[in-house]
Amino acid sequence: MFCRIREDIDSVFNRDPAARTRLEVLLNYPGLHAALAHRWSHRLWNADWKGLARFISTLSRFWTGIEIHPGAKIGRRFFIDHGMGVVIGETAEIGDDVTLYHGVTLGGTSWNGGKRHPTLEDGVVVGAGAKVLGPIIVGRGAKIGSNAVVVKAVPAEATVVGPAARVIIPAACQDAKEQARRDFAERIGFPSYAAQPDLPDPVLAAMRDMLDHMQASEARMDRICGDLHKAGIEVCSERPEAIRAETLATVHEDDVEPTPPQQ
């Protein structure tokens, strides 16, 4: 038990640069307190002392602001940063070296018994406010962005963002059509908004549609210019300048006046 406590404390140092001493971590980190309380309540739950296990879980929620059902299975070196508002359901399963931030929910989507909550494999990181719902599997090393709503399985090492979250496809996995979009975006000098995989999904989808339309329009214009050239009419000798991302930026961060703090 003491080895596990020491291991949990050491894991805080690996993932929080604000941690300074072991005593400070032991006294002031609610995520650590909630994890330790859960280990006790989980043992009682498995020993069929379910009422006492739920009571300890309730006390832990009152003390830390983190609600972990005593039936949940949690691996080693589990770390909840800040922690307030985290909810972990009864049938959730969490692997080793998993990190959750505040406001995370590992919830269910069914009133039926059995497996209702997600499984997080080793090394998963879940950003603040994210909701992972249902008996889905989040693969090893996956990252879930802040405020994402995840209702489908996430492959290992993938990153998902947005409500509802979709996988951001790695560059190596792009199909021919997606590669054509990227090549066209680079050719017109506008790659930064259209082809970056870390953009929110609605923006990325809109820019993909725009690129597809622009590419089709340019191909059509090339055919028209070719036909005019064959007819001896020269009207397509000049091509438009490449679009620059800077011309589309209406507000720059440096130009925005900082908002004074509320008193």
Side-chain angles (χ1 to χ4, degrees), residues 253-261:
E253 283 190 17
D254 295 340
D255 298 331
V256 178
E257 292 292 333
T259 303

Side-chain angles (χ1 to χ4, degrees), residues 183-218:
D183 292 343
F184 179 72
E186 291 179 359
R187 182 158 60 84
I188 67 174
F190 185 53
S192 54
Y193 288 94
Q196 291 299 321
D198 56 350
L199 286 176
D201 269 355
V203 176
L204 183 58
M207 295 309 300
R208 282 176 170 172
D209 290 343
M210 289 177 61
L211 277 180
D212 289 343
H213 181 77
M214 291 168 63
Q215 193 170 7
S217 297
E218 184 169 291

Side-chain angles (χ1 to χ4, degrees), residues 58-228:
T58 300
L59 289 179
S60 175
R61 181 181 64 177
F62 176 78
W63 180 259
T64 65
I66 299 168
E67 181 174 346
I68 307 177
H69 193 284
K73 299 177 181 178
I74 297 178
R76 304 175 70 168
R77 297 176 296 278
F78 177 56
F79 178 50
I80 305 176
D81 199 3
H82 300 293
M84 183 62 70
V86 168
V87 177
I88 300 174
E90 176 186 2
T91 61
E93 299 178 45
I94 299 175
D96 298 336
D97 302 300
V98 171
T99 302
L100 308 183
Y101 289 86
H102 53 280
V104 168
T105 299
L106 305 183
T109 56
S110 170
W111 294 103
N112 299 324
K115 177 68 170 170
R116 316 186 297 283
H117 301 91
T119 296
L120 276 55
E121 295 184 345
D122 298 348
V124 170
V125 178
V126 185
K131 314 301 177 189
V132 187
L133 306 175
I136 61 175
I137 297 177
V138 180
R140 182 187 183 95
K143 296 177 178 61
I144 297 174
S146 297
N147 294 317
V149 179
V150 184
V151 294
K152 296 181 181 179
V154 179
E157 304 296 336
T159 298
V160 294
V161 297
R166 294 180 175 88
V167 175
I168 298 176
I169 304 173
C173 298
Q174 300 294 341
D175 57 24
K177 188 174 182 180
E178 179 65 21
Q179 189 60 48
R181 288 192 189 108
R182 294 193 174 197
D183 292 343
F184 179 72
E186 291 179 359
R187 182 158 60 84
I188 67 174
F190 185 53
S192 54
Y193 288 94
Q196 291 299 321
D198 56 350
L199 286 176
D201 269 355
V203 176
L204 183 58
M207 295 309 300
R208 282 176 170 172
D209 290 343
M210 289 177 61
L211 277 180
D212 289 343
H213 181 77
M214 291 168 63
Q215 193 170 7
S217 297
E218 184 169 291
R220 185 181 179 208
M221 289 298 298
D222 286 342
R223 290 195 298 270
I224 293 173
C225 287
D227 292 341
L228 290 174

